[in-house]
Each structure stands twice: as structure tokens, then as C-alpha cells.
């Protein structure tokens, strides 16, 4: 019996989409080793009418369909009854809070998770109000919440104790936090006119560390200046920033 087994349930109209890509790679091993179990439940199985209808037209008129409250409510009750106490329910919606690494760490602590994937224009407001959390994966339009649920499970499962072969990668993630990664090289030292920066072959680990920090900063400044605003540079980074600025001035 695995003490740390997590139980994740997904309510969806397309249960055949799961586990999908989660059956491969790191998450696939986590599933095989019972660090986590994923169960997809079809919301349509909780309809009681002959045609198994899960949606209806919106009150007040307008285009599109809304997910009916009754099947969803019954599916939610069935899922909650299977999950351990303290398992948050999460609605996948473009109106949700943007998913983040901080949220992944928080959700990795829960004994279970209940993901609900909408299709159509949305779900009845009276059901929406019963969720602990509403999450989005970003400002673009997808066809449903299934891929977002898989994406979130991927980010969460790799954080579970024992899932990553080398937990050093996790502490490195938190060490170099909020900065883009520095360039990586492997053999050969010369490849198609391109050579590996000499400092990386020098064996001087203090210099290598500083070079990597500087290149991380260069990339972050170029591609994600918002990260520098949100997480201001420490003393060493301030010095590295002055060096980068001097490089720019030397160029012009
Ligand atoms: C084009 C229809 N939209 C305006 C009425 C509403 C809409 C409803 C449902 C748009 C997309 C969806 C399906 N998407 C999700 O359920 C979803 C999602 C997304 O589309 N983008 C980012 N994160 C998420 S989480 C769930």
C-alpha cells in the first residue's frame, strides 16, 4: 500500500481523452508506480432522460448552450463521495485565475483533486458557485477544459514526493526561480561553426556559476522583463545588469 497515493478525478464529457499524454514519460511512471491515480468520469452517465442530454439553451436567450445543473450536480456528488476529505474542487474555465507554479505546489499537497471540464459556453451559475477554485491556463480559446486539466495534472504530479528521479532538479527550479534558464551545451566542443563558451570548459565553478546567472538575466531581460519587475534583482544581479548595460553601450 502506497501511503502517498493521490487520487485525482476528472468530470468530463470526453472521458476517453484521459489519461492521454499523461500515460507517457514522468507522469506515466507516476501512474504505473501508484503515486497517483486518475479516474475520468463521464458527466453524461448522470443524466436520467432517454437522450442523455447534458446541455440546454440559456435563459434570457442568446447563442450557444449551457451545461444543465442536474447531471453536473449528481456527478460532483458521486466524485466527492469517492475523494478523501480536503480534496479541492477545481473548475476549468477561461474566466479562472491563471494557473501558476505556486498553485501547482499548493495543489500537490492535497490528498485528492476534483477537476471539472466544461464544454459549451459554460455551466449553470448555481453550480459554478460550489467550486473551491476556478483556473485558466491562459488567454486563448480552447475547445474545452480537458487539455487544461491534463496540463495542470502534469505540473502537479511531477512535484509529488518520489516522482522525479532526481529531486535536485526541483531544488534547482526553486533556486533559479523567476528567471529564464541559461544556455546549455554538451559535447562536442565544436559543432557546425559554433563553439562552447570557454568559461564552461574552464573548470572554474565560481566563474561558471556567475556566467550562468548573467546569461539567465540576459534572457529574462530580453524575453520576460515582466519577471524582473515582479521579482526584483538581488545585489549580484544588479551588478550583472550593469555589465549587460555596458555591453549594450559598447555595441552602439
Ligand atoms: C468562444 C466561447 N467563449 C465566449 C462565449 C466562451 C468559452 C467557453 C468555453 C470559451 C472557451 C471555452 C472552452 N475552454 C475551456 O473550457 C477552458 C480554457 C480556455 O479556453 N482557455 C484557457 N484556459 C481554459 S480552462 C478551460
Amino acid at each position: 500500500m502506497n501511503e502517498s497515493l493521490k487520487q485525482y478525478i476528472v468530470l468530463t464529457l470526453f472521458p476517453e481523452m484521459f489519461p492521454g499524454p499523461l500515460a507517457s514519460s514522468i507522469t506515466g511512471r507516476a501512474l504505473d508506480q501508484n503515486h497517483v491515480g486518475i479516474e475520468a468520469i463521464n458527466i453524461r452517465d448522470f443524466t436520467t432522460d432517454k437522450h442523455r442530454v447534458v446541455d440546454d439553451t440559456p435563459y434570457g436567450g442568446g447563442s450557444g448552450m449551457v451545461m444543465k445543473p442536474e447531471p453536473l450536480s449528481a456527478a460532483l456528488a458521486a466524485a466527492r463521495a469517492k475523494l478523501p476529505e480536503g480534496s479541492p474542487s477545481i473548475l476549468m474555465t477561461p474566466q479562472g485565475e491563471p494557473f501558476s507554479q505556486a498553485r501547482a505546489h499548493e495543489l500537490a499537497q492535497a490528498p485528492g483533486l476534483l477537476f471539472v471540464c466544461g464544454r459549451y459556453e459554460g455551466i449553470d451559475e448555481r453550480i459554478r458557485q460550489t467550486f473551491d477554485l476556478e483556473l485558466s491556463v491562459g488567454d486563448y480559446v480552447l475547445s474545452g477544459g480537458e487539455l487544461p486539466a491534463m496540463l495542470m495534472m502534469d505540473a502537479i504530479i511531477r512535484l509529488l514526493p518520489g516522482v522525479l528521479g532526481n529531486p535536485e532538479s526541483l531544488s534547482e527550479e526553486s533556486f533559479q526561480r523567476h528567471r529564464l534558464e541559461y544556455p546549455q551545451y554538451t559535447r562536442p566542443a565544436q559543432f557546425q561553426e559554433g563553439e562552447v563558451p570557454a568559461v564552461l570548459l574552464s573548470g572554474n565553478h565560481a566563474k561558471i556559476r556567475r556566467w550562468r546567472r548573467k546569461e539567465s538575466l540576459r534572457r529574462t531581460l530580453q524575453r520576460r522583463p515582466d519577471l524582473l519587475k515582479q521579482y526584483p534583482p538581488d545585489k549580484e544581479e544588479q551588478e550583472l545588469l550593469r555589465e549587460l548595460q555596458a555591453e549594450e553601450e559598447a555595441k552602439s
Side-chain angles (χ1 to χ4, degrees), residues 7-12 18 38-41 43 72 76 79 83 88-92 99 107 112-118 131 135 145-146 148-154 156-157:
Q7 195 182 355
Y8 298 164
I9 295 182
V10 191
L11 300 187
T12 170
F18 293 86
I38 298 175
E39 183 183 0
I41 296 179
I43 297 163
L72 198 48
L76 279 164
L83 285 167
S89 59
I90 311 165
L91 179 63
M92 303 292 105
F99 183 64
L107 295 176
L113 296 171
L114 174 49
F115 295 92
V116 176
C117 307
F131 287 89
L135 295 177
E146 286 78 10
M150 287 182 208
L151 178 152
M152 290 180 202
M153 284 193 261
D154 184 289
I156 293 162
I157 290 168

Side-chain angles (χ1 to χ4, degrees), residues 91-96 116-122 135-146 148-149 152:
L91 179 63
M92 303 292 105
T93 167
Q95 300 177 73
V116 176
C117 307
R119 289 265 160 168
Y120 313 113
E121 294 310 298
L135 295 177
S136 155
V137 296
D139 294 337
Y140 35 84
V141 181
L142 301 173
S143 350
E146 286 78 10
M152 290 180 202

